[in-house]
Amino acid sequence: MNGEKIRLMETQGAAPALAVSDAYEEEAEFLGATQGMTERAPGLLRRETAATWAACGAFERAAFAYFGVSSVLIALFAEHLRHPLRLLGVRALLVCVVLGLCWIQARSAERCRAEGESLAGQWWHFWRHWYPHLFFLFCFEELAQLMTLVTPNWQDAKLIAFDYWMTGVHPSVWLEQFVTPGRNEFMQLAYLTYFVYLLVLGGILYFRREWKAYWSVMTYSMVGYSIGYIIAMLFPIESPWFSMAGMWKAPLNGGPITATINFIEHYGRVRGAAFPSAHVAGSIAVLWGAWRFRRWLFWVMAPMVFLMCVSTIWGRYHYIADIFGGMVTGTLGYFVGNWVMERKRAVTTDSSGMLSF
């Protein structure tokens, strides 16, 4: 009996000791894992940051360059803005969204290469390629807050004088003698075609899976717009719609197309950003892209772009000087954009994630 009691006491005393020992081992393992994660975190962060940047292509570089230059101007002339920190904060958030989209699509493409195409891969592939259209819209609408960033006074008098010196008349006022509802509908339709140029050319290149050509056209547009937007901040122009209001005898009346334009202008009009014309710059950049990648489309679009340029004066949106400025910045977008596209890793997307039809 004594031997059994001794063994029982030894067993009962060892159990708590073993439990304590196991607890210490588990805690040590947890602390070790935590310490390992802490030590690995900087390396993991560096790798993911590098992977995210590697997923960015020429378009993102051009877009971030524009944000960088204009953000420096915002910081230097912050006293001219109501909410400079809010502007910078929204921009930082947008950059994070773009970087996140690039990172997600790159990971999705890796999975598609390993496991085959999927609907999720197609979804991220689509948004990775088409988000630039929303980015352009954001940048344009943002200009409403940046027009008097550097120069606090509108400079329209200079362009009004230039137009008069060049033509001997005020072009938008002179054109009023030819206005009829039918003609106005036609000219407003010409103005409306601006919104489809990039969609049409981009859509053709996207569905043909010509990725370098696609991103080239987007980069031409981004560079052209960026140059124009920086100029607009330095040399603010309201447009005839504001600066010459009251000089016309009557509003431009028309039908459903005119109503559509009035709706778009009512909700999307920016007071300023008239010089150089973003409409013309974007159209010329796309026209150069069509010349390079789809010559037949160039010949279809060229007369439409010409009429669109005329319609900006007819509709009282721009001066002739704005048209010239837009042609120059759109052309610069093409040549500078070509240079950017020749850099390494200009195109970081492929057909991964695309379903075959």
Side-chain angles (χ1 to χ4, degrees):
M1 291 294 294
N2 291 338
E4 291 179 0
K5 288 182 179 180
I6 292 171
R7 283 195 297 272
L8 180 62
M9 292 175 62
E10 288 177 349
T11 303
Q12 290 176 343
L18 288 172
V20 172
S21 177
D22 289 343
Y24 276 124
E25 288 181 3
E26 291 177 2
E27 183 177 357
E29 289 177 1
F30 175 76
L31 292 174
T34 304
Q35 184 177 4
M37 290 177 62
T38 304
E39 293 174 351
R40 291 194 300 269
L44 179 63
L45 180 61
R46 285 194 296 269
R47 285 195 299 273
E48 291 302 321
T49 301
T52 302
W53 182 247
C56 297
F59 177 85
E60 284 76 31
R61 297 172 200 168
F64 294 158
Y66 165 69
F67 264 15
V69 173
S70 53
S71 293
V72 169
L73 291 176
I74 290 173
L76 291 176
F77 299 96
E79 67 273 11
H80 296 162
L81 299 171
R82 290 184 178 180
H83 306 289
L85 292 179
R86 182 188 301 173
L87 273 174
L88 294 174
V90 171
R91 283 169 159 236
L93 178 61
L94 183 57
V95 169
C96 290
V97 170
V98 171
L99 290 173
L101 178 59
C102 293
W103 181 85
I104 291 171
Q105 196 277 322
R107 289 298 183 92
S108 175
E110 289 178 4
R111 285 194 298 271
C112 288
R113 281 191 288 268
E115 304 171 5
E117 295 178 345
S118 65
L119 286 173
Q122 186 184 32
W123 168 266
W124 292 115
H125 192 275
F126 175 84
W127 282 110
R128 171 70 176 85
H129 286 75
W130 288 92
Y131 88 87
H133 297 272
L134 299 177
F135 191 90
F136 296 146
L137 180 61
F138 170 85
C139 292
F140 180 75
E141 292 298 322
E142 183 193 45
L143 285 176
Q145 304 175 67
L146 302 176
M147 278 299 87
T148 55
L149 175 63
V150 179
T151 307
N153 300 314
W154 299 109
Q155 304 296 309
D156 288 68
K158 295 180 175 66
L159 298 194
I160 292 172
F162 174 84
D163 278 14
Y164 193 85
W165 167 82
M166 184 176 182
T167 64
V169 296
H170 297 298
S172 56
V173 177
W174 180 79
L175 285 171
E176 188 176 19
Q177 63 186 301
F178 303 107
V179 171
T180 65
R183 290 171 185 164
N184 187 55
E185 279 288 280
F186 176 77
M187 295 307 295
Q188 298 292 9
L189 176 61
Y191 184 76
L192 199 60
T193 60
Y194 157 78
F195 296 99
V196 303
Y197 298 149
L198 188 57
L199 290 173
V200 170
L201 179 57
I204 292 172
L205 298 175
Y206 180 81
F207 287 106
R208 295 293 297 176
R209 303 190 179 193
E210 298 177 25
W211 308 124
K212 184 169 184 179
Y214 179 90
W215 283 115
S216 293
V217 174
M218 293 298 165
T219 304
Y220 302 161
S221 300
M222 187 68 242
V223 175
Y225 283 135
S226 298
I227 296 172
Y229 293 162
I230 295 297
I231 293 173
M233 295 177 204
L234 301 174
F235 187 67
I237 299 296
E238 279 188 296
S239 84
W241 184 273
F242 296 104
S243 64
M244 301 178 70
M247 295 182 67
W248 300 289
K249 297 177 183 178
L252 297 172
N253 296 317
I257 296 173
T258 301
T260 300
I261 288 293
N262 290 339
F263 177 83
I264 294 172
E265 292 293 327
H266 176 74
Y267 288 101
R269 184 190 300 276
V270 170
R271 184 165 189 169
F275 179 83
S277 169
H279 274 65
V280 175
S283 301
I284 294 297
V286 174
L287 200 58
W288 275 109
W291 173 266
R292 181 165 186 179
F293 301 113
R294 286 295 185 278
R295 191 66 57 88
W296 65 268
L297 186 59
F298 169 85
W299 294 113
V300 173
M301 289 174 54
M304 299 171 65
V305 171
F306 172 77
L307 287 173
M308 191 277 300
C309 292
V310 175
S311 74
T312 64
I313 300 172
W314 174 282
R316 304 163 181 173
Y317 309 121
H318 287 289
Y319 306 104
I320 292 178
D322 301 338
I323 309 305
F324 291 156
M327 293 172 68
V328 171
T329 52
T331 300
L332 283 173
Y334 170 70
F335 286 103
V336 176
N338 259 334
W339 177 83
V340 174
M341 287 300 300
E342 293 305 317
R343 305 304 97 190
K344 292 181 179 179
R345 298 192 61 79
V347 179
T348 59
T349 61
D350 55 24
S351 58
S352 299
M354 290 288 290
L355 294 181
S356 300
F357 295 95

